[in-house]
Amino acid sequence: MLFRQLEYLVALARERHFARAARSCHVSQPALSEAIRKLEEELDVLLVRRGRAYEGLTPEGERIVVRAQRILADRDALQDEVHALRTGLSGRLRIGLVPTATGAVPLLTGPLCAAHPLVTVEILADLPAGEILRRLRSFELDAGITYLGEDVSEGFRTQPLYEERYALLTSVAEDLARHPNATWSAASRLPLCLLAPNLQGRRLVDDVFTGLGLHPAPRVETDSVPALFAHVRTGQWASIVPYAGLHVVGVPPGMRAVPLVEPERTAPIGLVTAAREPGSVIARALLEAARHIDTATVLESLPPRPGP
């Protein structure tokens, strides 16, 4: 009964609405509300602020939710561990990606699923880097592929995958497309379509421009790498894209991807999991697989140029 009560409380904290929380737990709203009331009685503390509707958690409720998330995650990890001992690794892996890391995930999930046929994968793409870490801390994700910055430190395990490199994607009619590389300064003068400012991939690009004393104003911004390519494909825009994205979408006909230099900026991308015990057995298997997969050779080079 305690596990069920904790599940209901975590669902309420996530959904911030009694009816939605009840639906997510496949119970009636009165049943969910009564279970949480009984938990409050057993703990002798008020967890939920109630008025005519849900008004949030009390400070005590916020602390209990954090403990409840860990308790439920440890229970699930233990069940997975026991099941793996009996029948082999199985279950669902939830992995979050920053928009530029789409090309990396199949290089990891392919070998994992081949080695463990009972494992399934749920991919949540186009997440901001900070959101991935938040969901890892709250046990909403088992793993993430994101930038390995200073904020990825205590509380996480990391496995470097590759260095993100950048290219100018532009029309073959553009003069820069006929050169072996292009400078960031020259790229800043083109009509640009870039990632949204709240994304780490965009902030890295802005940092390079700012360091050069440049302040280009993109006409189009998006949180989706495929949307960048869709705009560039029209021939009206140019963009700055990661090599890894080119391996997913390819270089559109009539376009060229030109390495950006002066400076040759890179950013480390890696696999991140929560550093807790026992932790997700599937996440541990993914982390172990990543140590033996050479993603850098593929994703740190440009794909072959398309024909004329």
Side-chain angles (χ1 to χ4, degrees):
M1 180 62 182
L2 176 61
F3 284 137
R4 186 174 299 114
Q5 291 170 323
L6 296 179
E7 287 172 350
Y8 294 169
L9 181 63
V10 169
L12 182 61
R14 181 183 65 248
E15 301 294 340
R16 306 185 65 81
H17 190 277
F18 279 101
R20 289 198 300 268
R23 284 196 297 270
S24 72
C25 295
H26 307 290
V27 297
S28 67
Q29 181 175 334
L32 180 136
S33 298
E34 181 61 21
I36 293 176
R37 286 187 186 278
K38 287 184 177 179
L39 180 61
E40 290 175 319
E41 292 174 2
E42 292 169 9
L43 298 178
D44 193 24
V45 65
L46 186 66
L47 302 175
V48 180
R49 291 187 285 111
R50 299 174 177 86
R52 297 183 63 181
Y54 173 79
E55 295 182 355
L57 299 176
T58 65
E60 296 82 0
E62 295 282 358
R63 296 183 64 180
I64 294 298
V65 162
V66 173
R67 287 183 174 270
Q69 290 170 330
R70 179 174 293 276
I71 290 169
L72 294 173
D74 287 345
R75 177 204 61 182
D76 294 343
L78 179 60
Q79 290 174 339
D80 290 343
E81 195 90 42
V82 171
H83 196 269
L85 291 172
R86 290 176 176 172
T87 63
L89 193 61
S90 65
R92 192 167 188 81
L93 174 71
R94 301 163 301 172
I95 182 167
L97 311 176
V98 291
T100 60
T102 307
V105 68
L107 300 178
L108 304 182
T109 55
L112 177 74
C113 292
H116 305 287
L118 299 179
V119 167
T120 60
V121 180
E122 178 184 359
I123 297 171
L124 291 88
D126 297 342
L127 295 178
E131 178 66 8
I132 289 176
L133 299 184
R134 186 196 70 77
R135 294 193 189 193
L136 286 170
R137 290 190 185 99
S138 63
F139 310 101
E140 297 172 61
L141 289 174
D142 301 302
I145 300 180
T146 184
Y147 295 92
L148 299 182
E150 294 180 358
D151 51 343
V152 185
S153 54
E154 185 177 354
F156 297 102
R157 293 191 182 93
T158 62
Q159 174 61 38
L161 297 176
Y162 63 97
E163 290 288 326
E164 184 171 86
R165 300 178 184 275
Y166 306 97
L168 173 68
L169 187 65
T170 188
S171 167
V172 293
E174 171 63 45
D175 179 66
L176 290 175
R178 294 188 284 274
H179 295 269
N181 50 52
T183 66
W184 288 80
S185 179
S188 71
R189 296 190 287 271
L190 299 177
L192 291 174
C193 172
L194 298 177
L195 288 173
N198 67 307
L199 297 174
Q200 182 68 12
R202 168 64 183 279
R203 290 197 291 269
L204 291 168
V205 169
D206 286 346
D207 285 347
V208 177
F209 283 134
T210 301
L212 295 171
L214 302 170
H215 303 281
R219 298 285 301 279
V220 179
E221 297 174 321
T222 175
D223 63 357
S224 166
V225 171
L228 290 181
F229 283 81
H231 279 79
V232 174
R233 188 177 282 113
T234 67
Q236 186 176 356
W237 315 99
S239 187
I240 294 171
V241 298
Y243 286 16
L246 292 164
H247 284 276
V248 176
V249 182
V251 179
M255 308 302 293
R256 285 289 184 268
V258 184
L260 280 163
V261 296
E262 297 181 24
E264 294 185 14
R265 178 64 186 270
T266 65
I269 299 288
L271 179 65
V272 180
T273 62
R276 60 184 179 85
E277 296 297 342
S280 165
V281 63
I282 307 178
R284 292 205 309 270
L286 181 67
L287 197 60
E288 181 61 27
R291 295 190 178 105
H292 303 284
I293 299 171
D294 183 8
T295 53
T297 297
V298 176
L299 300 177
E300 291 184 15
S301 60
L302 287 173
R305 282 190 174 188

